Amino acid sequence: MDNRTDPIEIIARVSEQDGKQRAFEVWCYKAGKEGWSVTVESSSVDEPGDECGVVDIEGLRYRIRQAKRIRQRVAIVPAGRHLIAAAVDLSLGRLDEVTWVWEFGHAAWAEPVIEDE
């Protein structure tokens, strides 16, 4: 029995500002840490869209994508309140001025490349 995490279940949290190249690298690194042998077939990090590239993992091809995909909690600080002061208050347990919301954050993930035969 193979106990490795399936490549389609590997989600790499990445910042939108880091770009698709970094997202591609982080996903490949995480897949390698799970024990998969990843071979990069192509890279499309400079092209528009959410595709980062295509990899081969032990004979199966996967398309790596980067876009908003994961839930993350975000703190909203009132206008005029300094972010560092709010962080200090938060660390001291004073949460009355901070509002928490959920939003989608960026991640990299793999989708299998299924070709019709």
Side-chain angles (χ1 to χ4, degrees):
M1 179 84 182
D2 194 344
N3 292 326
R4 297 177 289 182
T5 301
D6 190 284
I8 64 167
E9 296 176 10
I10 298 171
I11 305 291
R13 292 177 181 262
V14 291
S15 169
E16 179 182 18
Q17 289 81 17
D18 290 339
K20 293 193 316 183
Q21 177 67 42
R22 178 73 178 147
F24 190 59
E25 292 167 355
V26 171
W27 190 90
C28 290
Y29 172 79
K30 288 187 76 157
K33 291 284 284 184
E34 286 291 332
W36 297 105
S37 176
V38 179
T39 303
V40 175
E41 285 192 1
S42 65
S43 174
S44 54
V45 296
D46 295 328
E47 297 175 18
D50 65 1
E51 185 175 323
C52 299
V54 176
V55 298
D56 179 283
I57 299 178
E58 299 177 6
L60 295 175
R61 296 174 69 223
Y62 296 86
R63 181 170 287 110
I64 309 304
R65 300 190 178 280
Q66 185 234 13
K68 289 184 175 183
R69 182 171 174 105
I70 55 171
R71 290 174 56 97
Q72 63 185 18
R73 253 180 112 199
V74 177
I76 306 296
V77 178
R81 179 84 164 120
H82 195 280
L83 185 57
I84 294 174
V88 169
D89 285 346
L90 201 76
S91 70
L92 296 174
R94 299 188 296 247
L95 303 172
D96 55 327
E97 292 185 356
V98 176
T99 304
W100 292 93
V101 297
W102 287 99
E103 67 178 30
F104 287 109
H106 278 77
W109 71 95
E111 295 177 352
V113 176
I114 310 289
E115 297 177 10
D116 294 332
E117 299 188 24

